[in-house]
Every structure is written in C-alpha cells, then in structure tokens.
Amino acid sequence: MKYYPVAIFLTSLVTLLSLKASEAPAPAKPPNIVVIMADDLGFGDLSCYGAKAVPTPNVDRIASRGVRFTNGYAPASTCTPSRYAMLTGDYAWRQIAKQTTILDGDAPLAIEPGTLTLPEMLRRMGYATGIVGKWHLGLGDGKTPLNFNGEVAPGPRQIGFDYSIIIPATVDRVPSVWLENDRVVGLDPADPISVSYKNNISDTPLGTERPDLLMQKADKQHSNSIIHGISRIGYMKGGHAARFKDEDLPHTVVDKTVDFLEKHQSKPFFLHVGLFEPHVPRVADPRIVGATGSCGIRGDVIRQMDWQTGKILDALERLKLTDNTLILFTSDNGPIFFDGYEDNAKADADAAWHDPAGGLRGFKYLVYEGSTRVPFLMSWPAKVPVGVSDRMICLTDMMATCAAITGAQIPAGAAVDSLNQWPVLQDRSANAIRESVVQQGISGAYAIRHGDWKLIPANAVKQANGMGSGANPDDPRFAAAIVRETLLFNLAEDPAETKNLASERPEKVKELSALLRKTGVRHVSGLESD
Ligand code: NG6
Ligand code: CA
C-alpha cells in the first residue's frame, strides 16, 4: 500500500513515455478526414472568431467540437500556392515554376504526378479519396494543348484523388464548367469547347461590349466572355449546355459531397471540399440573399458557405460518422472586398461594422497578417479535446499530422515543410511545435513570422506581377504588394503591424533574414542584398 502512489507515478510515466514515442494514437479504425477550404475567407469572417454581422452557426459547430486556432496560417495570400502547400506539405515556392501565384483556367498541372500528396498518402493507407469544388492547380501536362472535349488529364486523379468533381480554376475564370472524373459534365459533342486567355474566340458578347447584360459591372480584366450574366477573365466558345449557373454552384457542392459520403461511409475516406465563397463573383441563392444579420452580398455568400458546411456536417451526423471524423475547416488566403466586380461589398460591410480581417492588417495578395492568417478549426470528437489554441499551425502541417494519425510514412525529401501537430491537437497545454511560418504574396513578396516577430523584406519590384492574365499591375490592390523598405513588427505588442521596428532592432532583422534565407526561399531581392 505504501508504494501505491509510486506505482501510479510509474504507470503514468510509462503511459506518457509510450505516448511520446508513438506521438499518435493507433486508432482501431482510422479516422475519416475532411478538409473544407473556403475561398478568401478572412480571420474575422466567422462568428466563432468574433464576427457580429455574419452569423455562421454551422462552421461554429466545428469550433465547439474541436480546436479553434488563433494562429493558423495559409502559407500564401493567393489560392494556388496555399492549396499546393496543403496537398503536398511543401511551400509552393519550392516547386512551382516562376513563383506562380495565380493560375489561369488553361494552365498546366502544378503538382508533378508522382509527388507524394496528402490524398496519395492516404490512398495508400486504404482510404477512399475525393475532391469536390475548387481546384485551381492546373490541368494537363503543359506539352499538348489542353482539350476540354476529351479526357482532361493529368489533374486531381493523377495526384491521388480517386474521385473528382471540380471547376478548373476560379469562378471568375473560363471555362465555366464542371469536370467530373476528368470530363466536362453535360458536354454536347456537337458544341465543343475552346478556351483562350489571349485571343477573343468568345461566341457570347464580352462584358466590355454588352454591359447591359451584366448582373454585376466588372473591371477590364473581368470583362471578357459573359456567361449567364457574369463576365469572366478569359474567352470561351462552345460548351453551352455544360456552362454552370453561379447560383447552382453551392447545390452541386452539397449534392456531390453528400453523395461521396454516402458511397464511402463504410471505408475510411479523405474528402477535400473547395467551397467557392466568398470569392468573386459573389452570387447567392435567392433564398439566402439579404438573410437577417448579413452585411450585403459578401455577408450573404458567407452564410451560403456556412449553409453548405452545415449540410456536410448533417450528412456526417446522419451517417453516424461525426465522432471518428477529423475535420479541418479553413481558408486559402485572407479576405478582400473589391476583386473585380462592383458588388458593393465594402460599403455594406462598413455599414455593418464588419471587419473581415478581424483587426489584422492587410488583405489577399499581400503578406501582412490579415493576408495569410485564416480561420483554422480542427475537430475529431473521439480523440481531440475541445478548446482554443494560440499555437502556430500552417496548412503545410496536414501531411505530417495525418501521417502520424494514420501511421503512414513520409519518405525523406517529401513534405519538407510539414510538422506533426498531433501533440498540439491532443493537449491544449502542449508546447508549440511550429516556431516559424513563411508567408508568400504576389510580386515576389515574402514574410517570415518567427515567434512574436515578423519580417517583411523589401521586394524591390517595380511593377506588381503574378496576378494572372489581364490584370493591371498599377491597380492599387496589386501595387500594395510592392514592399519598398524592410518591415519588422512585434506581433505581441503590435498585432496590427503598425510600428516598423526595423531601424530600432537591426539584430532582429538580421536574425529573421537569416532564418528566411535558411528556408531556401528564392527571389527575395531585399533579402539577397543584406
Ligand atoms: C486575380 C483576379 C481576382 C481573383 C484572383 C485569384 C483581380 C483584378 N483579378 O487575378 O479576381 O480571381 O486572381 O484569386 O483581382 S484566388 O483566390 O483564386 O487566388
Ligand atoms: Ca482564394
């Protein structure tokens, strides 16, 4: 009896040590994994992150069942590199040619087939894998011109997804069609599709020619082919029966997602859902428009995004899968109001006192905190205790974390920017696993956050670049990505990045510059010179 407490101590020590050694549970049945990624949703856009004007009760359900991270990062402030990073565990600038940050709808596949991706890793572990919604990682091999009338490959199915139903790039870029398992849905062979980002091959009027046909007026870049009342970036001909209507998109997402869940309920599955909201063009289902508590069209489409999330959660519940499903809900980059279409988003949000970046500086395209710090919720009711975590986590970490959880192996050289966050997920008091994160913007702008410090080296470009076809580099949104002097901020004291400490703290500039250089980041001109 005397030794009883010692025995308890020893037993817990053994438990502790064995947990440390394996770092992850060996679940009887591996969890299903669902990654829901919104498009351009900001740190302050959800009610669980403090938004008052836009209730998001469904997404909040994930927060109430899991961990709400307050330092969760997309590693880039545009879609393509962030999605690349989530799927590969590598920062996109390691691989993607010419520092591409936004791909056109006819761009080649950005992930080399044969790369170990998150879906491929899980597929090898016996998971059924699927993707529904936004892709924006290119299609085809880049050698033969992309032909949307046959098998459009390589694409998601050649990098690990068994099933795919995607739109190729963004809703504001042609072709405005769905591709299901590499083929355009509803294509009439007698009306073949052609796509160009250079020549006007459009068989419908352009936005510049017939503004009277538009639901929303647009800037020059977004004023090419009009498809169902919205002018887009790029020119499209044919495929009329296959062209989607914007208001149908959320319904297709829900139907296809629920279908996938029902079909694969008995097997572990990995499902990646790329929601289209609140990216432009913002079009809401008439039943959602003006719903109570929203702030204009941007608020409406956030509610629409929340509705879709609710449908996914309901399906999981109905299929009794909630408990053993790991969900990540996040966004690919920070928010923006005007992004090509005159939809009054800013005026309406201002009137409702809604700040999409939740008090952080900056917006999409840039490298301030509001540009890349995003909502980041992770739940797994069977294993992950509920709470809030201020530990740093990045989309790249999904690979190593899911490997730890499922027992998958990551070979040397793969997923080099991925850290296993299982200890942080499992224990609210665990030490931070991640100390730094690199943030990538357009125009070769980079930043590094290390602990509380943040460095943004001058990028010394003369004109903004990397925004895709037709964009105007003098546009103030893009011009803001040009960083003329080195910036250093202390985020603990100055979370809104208002006070540049670079000249006061040269040793910190040096330390963070060295750290950034060590990551292997290229083409940061301000960094090379010091
Ligand atoms: C830009 C588009 C923008 C959006 C973005 C990609 C302008 C003028 N144009 O070139 O509308 O499509 O590319 O956004 O801003 S992302 O979230 O997919 O990266
Ligand atoms: Ca985006």
Side-chain angles (χ1 to χ4, degrees), residues 63-78:
S64 71
R65 282 181 195 150
V67 189
R68 182 171 69 82
F69 284 94
T70 55
N71 284 297
Y73 287 88
S77 59
T78 56

Side-chain angles (χ1 to χ4, degrees), residues 36-46 54 74 76-83 101-102 134-136 169-173 222 233 273-282 297-299 301-303 305 329-341 343 345 354-358 362-366 369-375 395 442 477-478:
I36 306 176
M37 190 176 280
D39 196 359
D40 298 3
L41 187 74
F43 186 66
D45 270 328
L46 298 171
V54 191
S77 59
T78 56
C79 170
T80 301
S82 283
R83 286 167 203 256
T101 52
I102 299 169
K134 185 172 182 177
W135 175 238
H136 211 184
T170 55
V171 179
D172 59 0
R173 282 179 172 76
H222 293 77
I233 305 173
V273 186
L275 301 173
F276 300 115
E277 296 88 351
H279 194 286
V280 296
R282 302 182 181 113
I297 186 64
R298 193 171 176 283
V301 295
I302 291 175
R303 302 211 68 190
M305 176 219 72
F329 179 94
T330 187
S331 173
D332 62 344
N333 53 255
I336 190 152
F337 287 121
F338 179 78
D339 209 7
Y341 296 90
D343 60 7
H354 178 70
D355 174 6
F363 45 86
K364 177 178 177 178
Y365 304 120
L366 313 182
E369 288 298 289
S371 309
T372 66
R373 208 191 302 172
V374 287
L395 290 179
I442 61 163
R477 276 166 303 160
F478 298 138

Side-chain angles (χ1 to χ4, degrees), residues 259-492:
D259 220 46
F260 180 90
L261 295 175
E262 281 172 355
K263 276 201 186 108
H264 301 287
Q265 55 180 298
S266 54
K267 211 177 160 185
F269 56 78
F270 170 67
L271 176 64
H272 182 21
V273 186
L275 301 173
F276 300 115
E277 296 88 351
H279 194 286
V280 296
R282 302 182 181 113
V283 177
D285 182 289
R287 282 163 291 185
I288 285 178
V289 175
T292 340
S294 79
C295 52
I297 186 64
R298 193 171 176 283
D300 290 340
V301 295
I302 291 175
R303 302 211 68 190
Q304 178 162 287
M305 176 219 72
D306 185 68
W307 171 81
Q308 291 162 82
T309 307
K311 291 288 170 200
I312 301 170
L313 299 180
D314 291 349
L316 288 169
E317 228 136 275
R318 178 168 51 80
L319 300 169
K320 305 207 170 10
L321 297 171
T322 304
D323 218 37
N324 199 34
T325 297
L326 171 78
I327 300 180
L328 165 65
F329 179 94
T330 187
S331 173
D332 62 344
N333 53 255
I336 190 152
F337 287 121
F338 179 78
D339 209 7
Y341 296 90
E342 287 175 26
D343 60 7
N344 220 36
K346 176 154 174 36
D348 290 335
D350 284 352
W353 297 95
H354 178 70
D355 174 6
L360 301 176
R361 179 175 177 180
F363 45 86
K364 177 178 177 178
Y365 304 120
L366 313 182
V367 287
Y368 298 106
E369 288 298 289
S371 309
T372 66
R373 208 191 302 172
V374 287
F376 209 113
L377 306 169
M378 287 184 89
S379 69
W380 179 10
K383 299 277 178 188
V384 170
V386 172
V388 177
S389 175
D390 64 0
R391 305 298 189 258
M392 211 187 282
I393 187 166
C394 176
L395 290 179
T396 50
D397 296 338
M398 278 306 276
M399 276 288 280
T401 306
C402 291
I405 286 170
T406 59
Q409 297 297 317
I410 298 181
V416 296
D417 301 305
S418 195
L419 298 176
N420 171 15
Q421 296 275 6
W422 174 246
V424 162
L425 276 178
Q426 194 201 21
D427 178 2
R428 286 300 71 76
S429 63
N431 288 335
I433 296 284
R434 176 173 282 283
E435 294 182 315
S436 307
V437 68
V438 178
Q439 297 150 286
Q440 178 187 11
I442 61 163
S443 303
Y446 286 92
I448 184 166
R449 176 179 178 183
H450 180 70
D452 288 335
W453 291 92
K454 164 102 174 253
L455 174 81
I456 308 180
N459 58 349
V461 294
K462 299 224 162 41
Q463 261 205 327
N465 56 54
M467 310 88 71
S469 292
N472 169 11
D474 296 326
D475 184 312
R477 276 166 303 160
F478 298 138
I482 300 172
V483 187
R484 292 175 210 283
E485 55 169 358
T486 300
L487 301 171
L488 178 77
F489 301 109
N490 183 317
L491 297 176

